[in-house]
Amino acid sequence: YGNQAVPLLISEQGWNKTPFCEMLLPPELSFGYTGNLQLSNKNQVFQQMAQMLLINLDEFNQISPKVQQGFLKNIITLSSVKTKRPYGRHVEDFPRRASFIATTNETKVLADPTGSRRFLAVQLTGPIDVSERPNYEQLYAQAMDALHEHVPTFFNEEQTKQIVESNRRFCETTAAEMFFLDHFEPAADEKEGEWMTATAILEYLKNEVGISLLQNISAVAFGRRLTHMDNLTKDEKEYGNAYLVKRKKR
C-alpha cells in the first residue's frame, strides 16, 4: 500500500516543484495523480487514497498545525480506508493505494517535531529540470530489483533519528518556544539551574507575558517542544518529566 513517508520539496516560487510531481507517474498512469485534495472533506480524502496513486499536498504551508498533527498524521499511516463509493449506500473497506508528496515555498512548515519523521524534507538548491521526462522503464526496473532483493521498505531506528534531526530546521517555532527562550536557557548542571516541569514553566511564562498569549497551548504539546530543544536536559522525576533550566536575569 502507499508509502508512510512523504517527500516534502521546499524552495522559492517558480522552481518547478509541481510540474516535477506531475511527471513522476508515466503517461499510462497519469490518471492516478491529483494535486487537488481538500483535507477538510474527509470522504473525498479517503476516496482519493483508495483510487489515486500519487497525491500532491501542494502549498503544504497552508495546512494548519492542528490538521498536520491530527488528521494528516493519521491518514499517512493508514493501510486501508473506509468510505462509500460514489453514489454508494454503504461504507466499505478499501486498500489504500495512494502515496503522498508535498511542496511548499515556506521553510518553517512542520508543526509537530515528534511527527516530522513522516516527512522527508528537502530544500532545493536550484530549479528542477523538467525539460525531459524521467526514465520510467529504468526506475521500474530498479524498483523491481529492490523488491526481489528484499530491500527494507521501512526506516530503522537510526535512520528515523537522522530524519527527525534533519527536519528540525524546517519545524515551526511556536509563541511558547519564543517566550521560553526569552525567559529561560538550558542549564549545564543543577548548581546553576533548576528542574521544572513543562506545566511549571508554562505557568511561569503566563504570569510573565500574560495568559491570553499562551491560552491555546497545552502543557503536553509544550513538553513535546521542550524535548526537542537543543541542549535542554530532560529527566523523568517522580512528579513527571522535568527540564533543567536557568532563568534569565531581566
Side-chain angles (χ1 to χ4, degrees):
Y1 57 89
N3 297 314
Q4 293 190 11
V6 182
L8 173 59
L9 306 182
I10 302 171
S11 79
E12 58 186 77
Q13 193 170 6
W15 279 20
N16 299 325
K17 298 184 295 297
T18 299
F20 170 75
C21 294
E22 293 171 345
M23 293 171 57
L24 287 175
L25 292 177
E28 297 85 350
L29 298 176
S30 60
F31 68 87
Y33 173 86
T34 182
N36 183 26
L37 184 70
Q38 303 296 325
L39 288 173
S40 58
N41 187 337
K42 293 186 179 181
N43 192 49
Q44 183 210 50
V45 171
F46 292 143
Q47 285 183 355
Q48 294 200 1
M49 287 177 66
Q51 297 170 357
M52 297 292 107
L53 299 174
L54 182 64
I55 297 173
N56 179 13
L57 301 172
D58 212 4
E59 302 297 338
F60 184 82
N61 52 287
Q62 295 184 10
I63 300 176
S64 71
K66 183 178 181 180
V67 173
Q68 271 195 51
Q69 296 173 37
F71 183 59
L72 182 59
K73 183 178 177 180
N74 175 57
I75 63 174
I76 288 173
T77 63
L78 293 178
S79 60
S80 63
V81 293
K82 295 183 184 296
T83 186
K84 291 181 181 179
R85 298 175 186 266
Y87 307 106
R89 294 184 178 182
H90 306 289
V91 173
E92 301 178 61
D93 194 51
F94 297 93
R96 170 265 184 99
R97 295 198 303 177
S99 296
F100 290 96
I101 193 168
T103 65
T104 179
N105 301 329
E106 304 291 335
T107 303
K108 300 287 188 179
V109 291
L110 296 175
D112 183 7
T114 59
S116 71
R117 62 193 176 92
R118 299 297 180 194
F119 298 91
L120 304 175
V122 178
Q123 188 162 24
L124 305 185
T125 58
I128 301 174
D129 183 1
V130 293
S131 59
E132 295 184 10
R133 285 189 171 274
N135 187 337
Y136 300 114
E137 291 79 7
Q138 180 60 36
L139 288 172
Y140 181 81
Q142 290 176 220
M144 290 301 297
D145 182 68
L147 183 65
H148 289 308
E149 294 296 322
H150 302 290
V151 174
T153 58
F154 55 89
F155 298 115
N156 60 33
E157 185 177 350
E158 181 58 33
Q159 290 169 328
T160 300
K161 288 181 180 179
Q162 292 175 3
I163 292 170
V164 172
E165 182 61 30
S166 175
N167 285 343
R168 289 180 65 178
R169 59 196 172 112
F170 304 115
C171 290
E172 293 179 341
T173 302
T174 63
E177 288 176 281
M178 290 187 286
F179 288 133
F180 172 82
L181 294 173
D182 282 341
H183 292 81
F184 293 94
E185 60 184 316
D189 52 50
E190 295 184 11
K191 292 182 179 178
E192 69 169 27
E194 60 183 308
W195 292 102
M196 294 181 68
T197 64
T199 301
I201 295 173
L202 196 56
E203 288 302 314
Y204 176 87
L205 293 176
K206 287 178 179 179
N207 289 330
E208 291 292 313
V209 304
I211 294 178
S212 60
L213 296 175
L214 295 168
Q215 62 182 354
N216 293 325
I217 182 75
S218 70
V220 174
F222 184 52
R224 287 200 296 264
R225 292 281 180 168
L226 293 178
T227 298
H228 289 82
M229 195 165 288
D230 287 336
N231 304 317
L232 187 58
T233 302
K234 172 186 170 183
D235 193 16
E236 189 172 337
K237 304 292 186 181
E238 63 275 9
Y239 47 82
N241 292 329
Y243 305 87
L244 190 56
V245 297
K246 178 182 178 182
R247 306 188 194 206
K248 290 184 177 180
K249 296 181 179 179
R250 311 226 17 117

